[in-house]
Amino acid sequence: MGALHEGHLSLVRQAAAENSDVFVSIYVNPTQFGINEDLDSYPKTWDADMEMLADVDNKLASTAGSGRISAVFAPTTKTMYPTLPPSSEIPGKGSFVLITPLGNVLEGASRPVFFRGVATVCMKLFNIVKPDRVYFGQKDVQQTVVIRRMVEDFHLDTEVKIGATRREPDGLALSSRNVYLGSRRRRVSTVLSQALKAAELQFVNGKRSRGDILWPANDVALSKALQQDELPAAMRARFEVDYISLADPDTLEEVDEVDETKGAILSGAIKMQPLEELQEGEDCGLGGDSMPVRLIDNIILKPSA
Amino acid sequence: MGALHEGHLSLVRQAAAENSDVFVSIYVNPTQFGINEDLDSYPKTWDADMEMLADVDNKLASTAGSGRISAVFAPTTKTMYPTLPPSSEIPGKGSFVLITPLGNVLEGASRPVFFRGVATVCMKLFNIVKPDRVYFGQKDVQQTVVIRRMVEDFHLDTEVKIGATRREPDGLALSSRNVYLGSRRRRVSTVLSQALKAAELQFVNGKRSRGDILWPANDVALSKALQQDELPAAMRARFEVDYISLADPDTLEEVDEVDETKGAILSGAIKMQPLEELQEGEDCGLGGDSMPVRLIDNIILKPSA
């Protein structure tokens, strides 16, 4: 969807290391945005994206044995939705791929058209480009599970590869939406990765039950929320936890106990609230920190070998 | 779906005339049957189907320049639905292709899961076989429109070819379901093609408005229904008209006036009722004429050149 960052670029590099020709698709897909979501305000940064890709491609050119970026595929909406205008409604008119119930839980619970739109547009992209391999970032973990399922159920002749989540030094997962975070919200936003890290530590230390794994994550989130509540409005950045989940890696159903042979997906979503009161000269994000920003993150709890 | 008849074979011959390798898929797809529909009783005639195909293929072998049947693809349900069991429910769990609103009108109005199942299984078949061309019979006209739309909207790299409806000498369209019609119901079943023929004649004679085109069709159906009503129970074969439609060829929306540049699809569905009283030694269909049989037919009103 453009607004490229190092996470996207790392996928391009991974693809170039494993393939001769890399196609980069840049398309802000309207059907995955709900009617009240941020399609219009989604950052569109075409020139900066092209510069970043040209820079990556130049470095690939001097890397022995590496593939290159062969094309940037940036279709029009008339190409992607040739017969009916793209609908964000439910049920909505059009041709759609539905992956249920995978697409209805977690992110899909609060964004009911999201995975319908993602699966639909990816099916089209795959059919147009016919890639040997497709690369998705681990950060959107539910998307990776939905795409894997679509590839299996529809016998799509491609291999799904997942690139690790890229993070800021303090742990915040890279996201195109991070540009909306001014420094105050940015500081508090690390609560999500810290909460997931606390839960992961429990798993690493041998804990397997839901309660044992998740309590420290909920504790980190609650402590940070209370800390913000106690600060004056001009200093705090409030947030709400949408969910902290411990789910089966194939079905995304919540689990009470992690199955050693399957592992689990630890994931979470928070909504950073708009700042209530700005300080004089404060370093604000794009949009002046006046809009809520939803952030997601996850950690894979790996099965034992 | 097997239960092959001359209509299917004519598609095989057409495919062999236009391609070197013909794949015949035979799969009774559970997701296109509603919960109360006839999946279990759908005629399954594997041995007879294979004999008919072998016979066709032998003749193709001695036809200069003709392709051959390279494979019969008869997958298991675990192949077609590898992750979740095939669901006939709405909304239903699984991975589906939805083509709306095309799939909701006409046949889809009385069979709400039908075109979801058809589109889903065809997408899978296309992805597995990767055919240059796919062949469908004109008789299932809404299916042809839905598949064409799916191919266009999802950029599937295949060409949709339609073979003409094959008919009995008295006009009845060939259908796997015709085996359920004993001779009494069989005689009355021609009402559908006759009704459509009467409407077509109006179009051929220059009529373009819905009323002018459809009234003779409705008249044929009503006269035949009254005629049957007046016969004694041991002699009559009652039927109900589900719909007689005059629709846009791309959107399947009912039209008030036929657009000369687009033409229209004239289609209908009737339900032959079970016989009320059998005669001694009467020639019955499979199942003893005790189950209703739904029949469909259509005629394309061609655009002016």
Side-chain angles (χ1 to χ4, degrees), chain B residues 172-186:
Chain B
L172 178 69
L174 296 194
S175 165
S176 300
R177 291 201 169 92
N178 291 356
V179 296
Y180 296 115
L181 300 172
S183 56
R184 195 186 335 165
R185 294 207 291 182
R186 171 69 187 74

Side-chain angles (χ1 to χ4, degrees), chain A residues 79 82-84 92-101 123-124 127-128 130 149 152-157, chain B residues 79 82-84 92-101 123-124 127-128 130 149 152-157:
Chain A
T79 294
T83 61
L84 291 174
K93 292 182 180 176
S95 299
F96 295 112
V97 177
L98 286 186
I99 310 290
T100 56
M123 177 76 90
K124 297 178 190 221
N127 287 337
I128 292 168
K130 299 196 183 79
R149 177 67 64 91
E152 182 175 6
D153 277 349
F154 286 104
H155 292 267
L156 294 169
D157 191 14
Chain B
T79 294
T83 61
L84 290 174
K93 292 181 181 176
S95 299
F96 295 111
V97 176
L98 286 185
I99 309 290
T100 56
M123 177 75 90
K124 295 178 190 219
N127 286 338
I128 293 169
K130 299 197 182 80
R149 176 67 67 90
E152 182 175 3
D153 277 348
F154 286 104
H155 293 267
L156 294 170
D157 189 13

Side-chain angles (χ1 to χ4, degrees), chain A residues 184 228-237 276-277:
Chain A
R184 197 191 330 168
Q228 295 302 305
D229 285 348
E230 285 163 12
L231 291 171
M235 291 182 64
R236 70 191 174 192
E276 298 153 281
E277 194 177 311

Side-chain angles (χ1 to χ4, degrees), chain B residues 181-201:
Chain B
L181 300 172
S183 56
R184 195 186 335 165
R185 294 207 291 182
R186 171 69 187 74
R187 272 195 308 275
V188 174
S189 68
T190 55
V191 62
L192 179 55
S193 61
Q194 287 163 358
L196 297 177
K197 273 286 194 194
E200 181 193 29
L201 188 60

Side-chain angles (χ1 to χ4, degrees), chain A residues 53-76:
Chain A
L53 290 174
D55 188 51
V56 168
D57 190 52
N58 281 337
K59 291 192 178 102
L60 294 175
S62 56
T63 307
S66 172
R68 295 285 297 274
I69 298 175
S70 304
V72 173
F73 181 63
T76 64

Side-chain angles (χ1 to χ4, degrees), chain B residues 96-132:
Chain B
F96 295 111
V97 176
L98 286 185
I99 309 290
T100 56
L102 280 184
N104 303 335
V105 299
L106 299 172
E107 289 300 293
S110 55
R111 306 183 67 188
V113 301
F114 184 67
F115 290 106
R116 181 182 74 175
V118 168
T120 299
V121 79
C122 285
M123 177 75 90
K124 295 178 190 219
L125 288 171
F126 296 177
N127 286 338
I128 293 169
V129 177
K130 299 197 182 80
D132 296 321

